[in-house]
Amino acid sequence: MEHSRHLLKISSQNVILSDSETPQPAVISIDVEAGRIVDIKKGTDDATEGDVEIIDVGSKFVLPGVIDAHVHLNEPGRTDWEGFWTGTRAAVSGGVTTVIDMPLNSIPPTTTVANLTTKQDSAKGQCWADVAFWGGVIPGNQQDLKPLVAAGVKGFKCFLIDSGVEEFPCVDEGDLHGHMEVLQDEPTVLLFHAELQDPSSADKVEQSVNPTSYEAYLSSRPDKLEVDAISLITRLQEKYPSLRCHIVHLSSASA
């Protein structure tokens, strides 16, 4: 015998649907136990057969939940910065129903399957939103990449400049050849924090500038860092064309 479903129906005069540019009346039926939308019916519906709960929100808008693909849930290790409990509650309160957690700032970082398991264990019982994970690319973890893909990470992130946390070091061109060789035929994507610093120019800020000023900050992050990084990435992608690449934090028009 088929198990009867507990349905939650959300009714609104202003539902955003994929086949229309304007809001329209509709009813969204959700299987509560499965946590999935099972039906979308245009118009209104007050049917209550079976185990059905109806919430009529009147003229309030109903729209798809947002997916935030760049979130730092720093648990375990730096939960006081942001953890699964607070981060996912904040996400849901703003209409974000899925977050993808970046691989750094937690201790350990998500650079091996064992570390991924540690993060997943920390998340259990704490998540108000759906949570997925990015893997990390750091020097020397080429052998961990395919197992991480098989374990379900949505892709990988690397830094071309100091990440700011010692357990997630940046990679150079030599490292990336090894990583991209491994990943090029995998169903994945490699994200770049695209700032490439010339070691000879590191930490050179005009002495006359107040180091706490915004001007000093801008001087420490010139356009050239992004331009050089993206030049490197485009050269690498010519060599590994089957690997999808993505630039995060792009801010320079010239880049």
Side-chain angles (χ1 to χ4, degrees):
M1 178 181 294
E2 184 179 350
H3 177 68
S4 61
R5 295 185 298 186
H6 175 200
L7 292 182
L8 171 64
K9 293 190 175 186
I10 308 294
S11 177
S12 170
Q13 297 299 313
N14 291 297
V15 179
I16 307 297
L17 299 175
S18 60
D19 62 353
S20 175
E21 294 183 358
T22 58
Q24 54 190 296
V27 178
I28 313 296
S29 296
I30 302 163
D31 183 330
V32 175
E33 185 174 333
R36 295 180 180 275
I37 294 174
V38 294
D39 186 47
I40 300 174
K41 179 181 178 182
K42 294 181 180 179
T44 58
D45 183 1
D46 60 356
T48 57
E49 299 89 352
D51 189 6
V52 177
E53 176 185 0
I54 296 178
I55 298 177
D56 186 347
V57 300
S59 61
K60 293 181 179 178
F61 286 82
V62 175
L63 62 159
V66 176
I67 299 173
D68 189 341
H70 194 134
V71 172
H72 290 271
L73 300 171
N74 313 300
E75 187 174 357
R78 295 188 175 98
T79 309
D80 55 320
W81 291 9
E82 184 78 279
F84 290 103
W85 181 266
T86 59
T88 57
R89 286 190 77 186
V92 169
S93 71
V96 176
T97 55
T98 300
V99 299
I100 309 181
D101 177 60
M102 282 291 168
L104 71 156
N105 293 349
S106 61
I107 302 174
T110 316
T111 52
T112 68
V113 171
N115 292 357
L116 171 64
T117 300
T118 297
K119 291 225 39 156
Q120 291 171 326
D121 289 343
S122 295
K124 288 178 180 176
Q126 297 204 77
C127 297
W128 295 73
D130 289 335
V131 177
F133 297 91
W134 296 109
V137 160
I138 61 172
N141 80 324
Q142 291 92 329
Q143 74 281 359
D144 297 297
L145 303 183
K146 286 187 177 181
L148 280 165
V149 173
V153 299
K154 300 306 177 185
F156 295 88
K157 184 183 183 181
C158 67
F159 276 73
L160 300 179
I161 196 172
D162 187 346
S163 72
V165 291
E166 63 181 4
E167 67 277 358
F168 199 93
C170 61
V171 288
D172 60 21
E173 183 173 356
D175 297 317
L176 285 167
H177 280 289
H179 290 90
M180 296 177 79
E181 178 74 30
V182 170
L183 290 174
Q184 64 176 336
D185 295 319
E186 294 293 318
T188 192
V189 59
L190 179 57
L191 315 182
F192 290 85
H193 182 107
E195 292 179 285
L196 185 62
Q197 191 165 40
D198 179 354
S200 65
S201 64
D203 302 324
K204 288 186 178 179
V205 179
E206 290 291 335
Q207 296 299 314
S208 60
V209 176
N210 179 349
T212 64
S213 69
Y214 186 56
E215 181 183 354
Y217 174 76
L218 292 178
S219 297
S220 73
R221 315 301 280 261
D223 282 3
K224 188 176 187 302
L225 271 64
E226 284 194 12
V227 172
D228 289 350
I230 292 173
S231 296
L232 170 61
I233 294 163
T234 53
R235 291 200 309 272
L236 287 167
Q237 189 144 48
E238 288 176 353
K239 185 172 177 61
Y240 307 100
S242 63
L243 176 59
R244 293 179 296 141
C245 296
H246 180 75
I247 310 298
V248 300
H249 304 309
L250 183 65
S251 61
S252 170
S254 57

